[in-house]
Amino acid sequence: MDFRDLRYFETIAELQHVGRAAEKLHRTQPALTSCIRRLEEDCGFPVFERAGRGIRLTAAGQVLLKWAQRMRFDMEDAKLEIAAIGSGLAGHVRIGIVPTAARFLLPAAARQLLQEGPDITLRTVVGLVDKLNSLLEQGELDIVVATETPTAPGMVSRLLAEDVVVVAASAKHEIFSGKPTLRDLTKYRWALQPPGAPLRDWLDHTFDRRRLPRPDVQVESTMLLMLPTLIAETGLLSFFSRRHLGAKGSGSGFKEVPLKETTMLRRFVVTYREKGYLSAATLRLIDLLAQG
């Protein structure tokens, strides 16, 4: 099989349309049709089938896509590793990272890394774990720093740090006038992430298990780092990392509601492709993150 045919095949599979792939690749549709025909002759099976106005991968096409991506990763990693010979602590690091880790783990590690290797460049993508893992699988990122989830096949995860998530409110909130219970938390309104976010689901299930109403959410935001500052200015409760308590720039005047039932322990891990190439700069950044 020709590597160029496989690269074109990846783009066609991504867009599920030969015409759009031709525009993106600056090739003619007949050229891409010939590419597909050659791959199907080599495989002995059709790799695409009609789907409405577009096309989609067959079962054989899905297998071919997996191996085409793996071959591309290997070739790109080989070029990077060869280029790195004799370059020392240098290069470009592509890191995906969740917001809390970006706030509390990355800055000190990045500062130390850039001091040790002034020619290193960083590309940082901050987002949610599912999106970041998808970019890692596609080869768009070198590593992902996120809360621990089941490790996908072909990936490796390494523990970096533990984190504690707690309920918090303005220090002036009336909930601090006594010794609060889990039931007391149901009397107040909250600022939380939307359902489906890991922290929100964990908290909702905590109330479910004790047959109590779920939090009454008045403000819902996907921007997790906004919540500490928001609750310091309102009478709302929220649920976020204990690291925010007393952190500079998080806002002031809020504190933890100390309840064992709503204290969540989670772990930050770094994930990367098991057989992928990691530059010396990337490996050093992982070590520095683990020290944070």
Side-chain angles (χ1 to χ4, degrees):
M1 293 184 185
D2 186 278
F3 278 113
R4 184 162 47 186
D5 281 349
L6 290 173
R7 190 67 191 93
Y8 293 166
F9 166 70
E10 281 191 68
T11 302
I12 299 167
E14 175 193 353
L15 299 176
Q16 298 184 1
H17 196 281
V18 174
R20 288 196 290 269
E23 292 178 6
K24 182 174 182 178
L25 294 167
H26 304 292
R27 294 292 183 271
T28 65
Q29 291 190 41
L32 295 189
T33 301
S34 297
C35 160
I36 295 172
R37 188 180 304 114
R38 286 192 295 270
L39 291 174
E40 290 180 333
E41 289 174 354
D42 287 337
C43 292
F45 291 94
V47 294
F48 288 108
E49 61 186 3
R50 291 285 181 185
R53 295 184 177 179
I55 55 177
R56 64 186 175 196
L57 290 169
T58 61
Q62 292 173 359
V63 172
L64 180 61
L65 179 62
K66 178 184 71 173
W67 286 100
Q69 290 174 331
R70 185 173 300 182
M71 292 171 69
R72 174 168 57 85
F73 294 159
D74 288 345
M75 288 297 296
E76 291 174 352
D77 286 347
K79 293 177 182 177
L80 290 172
E81 191 165 355
I82 292 169
I85 294 174
S87 63
L89 195 59
H92 184 58
V93 182
R94 303 172 302 168
I95 175 174
I97 190 165
V98 294
T100 300
R103 172 78 186 278
F104 295 107
L105 297 184
L106 184 59
R111 181 176 63 249
Q112 181 63 31
L113 179 70
L114 297 181
Q115 286 176 353
E116 295 178 13
D119 293 329
I120 293 171
T121 56
L122 286 174
R123 174 177 176 248
T124 303
V125 179
V126 180
L128 300 181
V129 61
D130 290 346
K131 176 63 175 177
L132 297 177
N133 284 340
S134 177
L135 292 174
L136 179 64
E137 291 173 359
Q138 295 168 22
E140 298 297 322
L141 297 172
D142 301 313
I143 59 175
V144 165
V145 176
T147 49
E148 189 175 35
T149 58
T151 304
M155 299 291 170
V156 174
S157 292
R158 170 184 166 185
L159 176 65
L160 292 178
E162 292 188 336
D163 188 43
V164 179
V165 184
V166 298
V167 175
S170 165
K172 299 177 181 179
H173 199 289
E174 65 180 54
I175 195 149
F176 296 113
S177 61
K179 187 176 181 180
T181 66
L182 187 64
R183 184 177 294 276
D184 291 333
L185 300 185
T186 66
K187 302 175 184 177
Y188 305 101
R189 289 186 169 183
W190 295 67
L192 293 173
Q193 291 178 289
L199 296 189
R200 173 68 180 275
D201 289 348
W202 187 93
L203 188 65
D204 283 346
H205 294 157
T206 296
F207 286 87
D208 291 345
R209 286 192 296 271
R210 289 158 179 81
R211 300 181 182 279
L212 292 171
R214 291 185 173 188
D216 179 8
V217 179
Q218 186 171 21
V219 176
E220 194 171 84
S221 175
T222 58
M223 190 180 297
L224 183 61
L225 295 184
M226 181 188 80
L227 299 181
T229 304
L230 177 65
I231 69 149
E233 303 294 334
T234 67
L236 303 177
L237 303 180
S238 195
F239 189 59
F240 49 74
S241 172
R242 186 181 277 164
R243 295 171 186 257
H244 287 286
L245 300 176
K248 293 181 180 180
S250 288
S252 59
F254 59 90
K255 64 180 185 178
E256 177 182 344
V257 180
L259 280 173
K260 181 179 180 179
E261 302 99 313
T262 56
T263 300
M264 173 187 174
L265 179 65
R266 63 179 179 175
R267 302 178 358 144
F268 288 121
V269 299
V270 57
T271 302
Y272 45 90
R273 293 185 296 279
E274 183 177 12
K275 297 182 180 180
Y277 168 71
L278 294 179
S279 67
T282 304
L283 292 171
R284 181 55 179 153
L285 177 59
I286 291 173
D287 288 339
L288 291 170
L289 288 167
Q291 296 171 20

